[in-house]
Amino acid sequence: MSSVRVRFAPSPTGELHIGGARTALFNYLFARAKKGTFILRIDDTDLERSRAEYTEALLDAMRWLGLEWDEGPYYQSRRLERYEDEAARLLKEGKAYRCFCTPEELTAGREQAHKDGKNYLYPGTCRDLTPEKIEEYCESGRDFVVRLRIPDEGSTVVRDLIRGEVRFNHRDLDDFIIMKSNGLPTYNFASVVDDAEMKITDVIRAEEHLSNTPRQQLCLEALGYEQPRYAHVPMILAPDRSKLSKRHGATSVEEFRSRGYLPEALINYMALLGWSPGEKEILPLSEMIPLFSLERVNKTAAIYDTTKLTWMNGQYLRAVPPERLAAEALPFYTAAGLVEPPLGGEEEEYYEKVVKAVSDRVKTLAEMADASTYFYREVDSYDEKGVRKHFRKEGSAALLRRAASLLHTLEPFDLDSVESGYRNLSKELGISAGRLIHPTRLAISGRTMGPGLFDIIVLLGREKTVSRLEKAALWIERQ
Ligand code: GLU
């Protein structure tokens, strides 16, 4: 193992979104490419918004994606003493100070700045309180926060591995809060205390944190710790370049999972959101690792396109070995009410054949179940367009009856003999094979598309096929 150490540090305040998952993936890839350590840290100091069930879901989503971590999960909520100690040290060294301003005073200042059209910066009211004053306030039990003392002059430069140098003038930063009045650390403070203690060498995270980075660098400096390298990965935008939100469809890992996406497809797709490995688009995780580098991560926002992800999922579905596909699809068939596990014997064999038959044309596991209904249920309606095209033609009912009587006595009832039976019958009737095949498909599946017709016939078996053909013939005659 090298000394490279990275961390993914989600806040468990909601589901794992595609942006967070992509950050996790880039950290994972970076760690694996550098033979370093990938750490999982749960940033749960926001006690009101953090929930244990979100943490569980997060860990579950990470496992499902196959993003195994080497250390952790570490929980910030279990490390509160560390932050207190570090804040106390900064207070003692005069690098931080207690601020007793009341929320009302701060709000008034903020409102005034807003009126003046200015950005609000804390004016440093409590910066130089005398020790006596501080003692007096403390004794009277006044609430306080702890603020970091920022130099008035000069600037802090973030040397970002993706974005280059970004300079932040200190006059645009204020003495920000590191410990809140409830005794909990702010994100910026807890984050750097942990990054330092966990010996993080590279902080790879979302671009929206870039503005926090000078504050974090100043904290580290005050604490006397080494600075890690920083890399801020580009935003992910909706196709109309707006911020990604619910209205753009599924955006959380959980949702994709429940809609029948495979983890490897999601991983592959997310990797390409901001990273350009070259020509090849279908790139499994194992192949990405040796190729991954931050130099090939773009500065510009990535555009989120579910059509591409869905296409990719279809590609992966077809590459999955049959046993795994059957296992992955089972919850979807169960949810659709088609099967009731545990499956055994013939039922299982049938299920596996159905899965194999429909897998060629679908893009998600959910679609697979949807495309399989007629293998489990009677056909109770026919595709309307199909009816116009294949049932309304003169003689369609008679054709279906001819097909039914052919299949009624056909021996053996297997793929070859069904196929040659159909070819011979169409020859005998002087019609194209399609004229017989299309209405048959509609009659026995209710649909115009699906697996090869002869596969469907053999899978359904003689009895069901014949009865559906006759039922469709009757239906046509009654129209
Ligand atoms: N908890 C922060 C977040 O979820 C972590 C940011 C960071 O990586 O520093 O956005």
Side-chain angles (χ1 to χ4, degrees):
M1 276 216 172
S2 71
S3 61
V4 164
R5 291 171 64 81
V6 295
R7 86 299 193 271
F8 173 52
S11 304
T13 53
E15 291 184 320
L16 179 59
H17 280 259
I18 196 103
R22 198 251 336 232
T23 300
L25 173 61
F26 281 11
N27 274 286
Y28 173 90
L29 288 170
F30 186 82
R32 294 291 172 265
K34 304 261 184 201
K35 304 214 173 342
T37 306
F38 175 49
I39 296 161
L40 180 61
R41 186 175 81 211
I42 307 295
D43 283 3
D44 57 352
T45 54
D46 186 340
L47 302 182
E48 267 166 35
R49 292 176 58 223
S50 300
R51 298 222 193 302
E53 55 268 34
Y54 287 137
T55 303
E56 275 319 305
L58 225 144
L59 300 184
D60 200 37
M62 292 282 288
R63 286 189 202 105
W64 180 72
L65 287 170
L67 300 178
E68 270 168 60
W69 54 93
D70 308 308
E71 269 183 37
Y74 297 115
Y75 293 86
Q76 289 195 322
S77 60
R78 298 180 195 167
R79 296 170 43 75
L80 298 180
E81 235 171 86
R82 280 295 300 143
Y83 315 125
E84 280 164 29
D85 289 350
E86 292 288 56
R89 182 161 70 84
L90 292 181
L91 279 173
K92 205 163 142 219
E93 293 170 2
K95 293 173 179 164
Y97 60 89
R98 292 183 181 83
C99 165
F100 297 91
C101 293
T102 61
E104 293 74 33
E105 282 165 338
L106 296 172
T107 309
R110 216 170 274 126
E111 279 170 2
Q112 189 57 45
H114 188 72
K115 260 191 222 147
D116 300 342
K118 284 191 192 140
N119 242 348
Y120 173 75
L121 292 177
Y122 173 69
T125 320
C126 298
R127 218 177 197 202
D128 299 305
L129 295 180
T130 59
E132 294 75 35
K133 196 81 196 155
I134 295 175
E135 213 182 306
E136 181 197 318
Y137 281 152
C138 285
E139 265 169 24
S140 68
R142 256 176 97 148
D143 275 347
F144 65 86
V145 298
V146 179
R147 293 182 182 270
L148 190 76
R149 205 181 285 276
I150 302 290
D152 293 322
E153 304 294 321
S155 57
T156 291
V157 175
V158 176
R159 293 193 173 77
D160 189 274
L161 295 173
I162 296 168
R163 332 192 70 79
E165 288 193 359
V166 191
R167 183 178 297 274
F168 295 85
N169 291 321
H170 292 159
R171 80 176 103 81
D172 299 327
L173 300 174
D174 57 5
D175 291 346
F176 59 90
I177 300 174
I178 59 173
M179 294 295 278
K180 298 184 257 185
S181 58
N182 58 7
L184 293 174
T186 56
Y187 152 67
N188 277 322
F189 192 59
S191 196
V192 298
V193 169
D194 286 350
D195 288 346
E197 189 164 314
M198 294 167 190
K199 299 199 166 25
I200 301 300
T201 55
D202 298 82
V203 170
I204 303 168
R205 63 182 169 205
E207 185 185 341
E208 68 206 34
H209 285 295
L210 181 61
S211 60
N212 285 320
T213 307
R215 292 184 176 86
Q216 297 187 7
Q217 291 192 177
L218 286 162
C219 273
L220 285 166
E221 218 172 284
L223 289 163
Y225 294 134
E226 244 178 81
Q227 306 278 348
R229 287 177 290 262
Y230 289 96
H232 290 89
V233 297
M235 307 244 288
I236 301 175
L237 297 180
D240 62 1
R241 305 196 73 83
S242 66
K243 206 172 160 237
L244 206 56
S245 72
K246 277 268 160 235
R247 72 191 160 90
H248 300 109
T251 52
S252 78
V253 171
E254 200 46 53
E255 278 172 288
F256 283 114
R257 184 179 183 176
S258 65
R259 289 183 189 199
Y261 288 80
L262 291 172
E264 53 266 54
L266 199 53
I267 286 278
N268 192 154
Y269 177 70
M270 289 192 301
L272 302 183
L273 287 173
W275 175 48
S276 327
E279 292 297 295
K280 229 174 134 188
E281 278 199 311
I282 298 290
L283 205 57
L285 195 56
S286 58
E287 288 179 37
M288 284 176 201
I289 293 171
L291 295 178
F292 190 79
S293 75
L294 291 172
E295 284 85 58
R296 302 209 66 145
V297 173
N298 310 326
K299 284 195 197 56
T300 48
I303 304 293
Y304 176 72
D305 171 7
T306 36
T307 318
K308 174 123 179 229
L309 165 61
T310 306
W311 167 80
M312 220 170 232
N313 200 57
Q315 302 290 310
Y316 274 96
L317 269 186
R318 276 175 269 302
V320 165
E323 317 77 62
R324 184 178 153 216
L325 190 60
E328 295 276 4
L330 192 59
F332 293 87
Y333 280 69
T334 310
L338 301 180
V339 299
E340 245 178 85
L343 306 183
E346 272 177 29
E347 201 189 0
E348 186 172 16
E349 239 173 75
Y350 183 69
Y351 166 70
E352 283 165 3
K353 285 183 187 158
V354 169
V355 164
K356 188 169 174 293
V358 300
S359 66
D360 268 0
R361 281 171 184 77
V362 292
K363 298 198 180 78
T364 65
L365 297 167
E367 260 183 49
M368 267 172 76
D370 186 55
S372 303
T373 48
Y374 58 86
F375 283 112
Y376 290 96
R377 291 191 190 131
E378 277 312 309
V379 174
D380 49 18
S381 66
Y382 303 107
D383 176 87
E384 273 179 40
K385 253 196 185 157
V387 167
R388 264 179 268 134
K389 250 175 115 177
H390 308 303
F391 277 3
R392 289 270 151 81
K393 275 191 203 144
E394 195 55 46
S396 295
L399 276 183
L400 292 178
R401 289 196 194 285
R402 286 297 297 260
S405 65
L406 159 78
L407 296 176
H408 187 61
T409 51
L410 190 76
E411 282 302 341
F413 197 83
D414 64 16
L415 210 56
D416 285 343
S417 95
V418 170
E419 176 159 8
S420 52
Y422 256 68
R423 305 266 172 231
N424 293 339
L425 180 59
S426 54
K427 248 188 239 145
E428 190 189 317
L429 298 173
I431 56 176
S432 70
R435 178 67 189 110
L436 202 53
I437 284 172
H438 296 311
T440 301
R441 175 187 294 285
L442 189 59
I444 66 176
S445 74
R447 308 180 186 214
T448 55
M449 279 188 303
L453 178 72
F454 308 126
D455 291 304
I456 304 181
I457 293 178
V458 174
L459 245 172
L460 279 175
R462 189 196 306 274
E463 216 176 296
K464 280 196 184 123
T465 309
V466 169
S467 96
R468 288 183 194 184
L469 287 168
E470 281 167 353
K471 192 173 139 194
L474 252 177
W475 186 89
I476 296 172
E477 285 158 358
R478 287 192 185 143
Q479 291 301 300

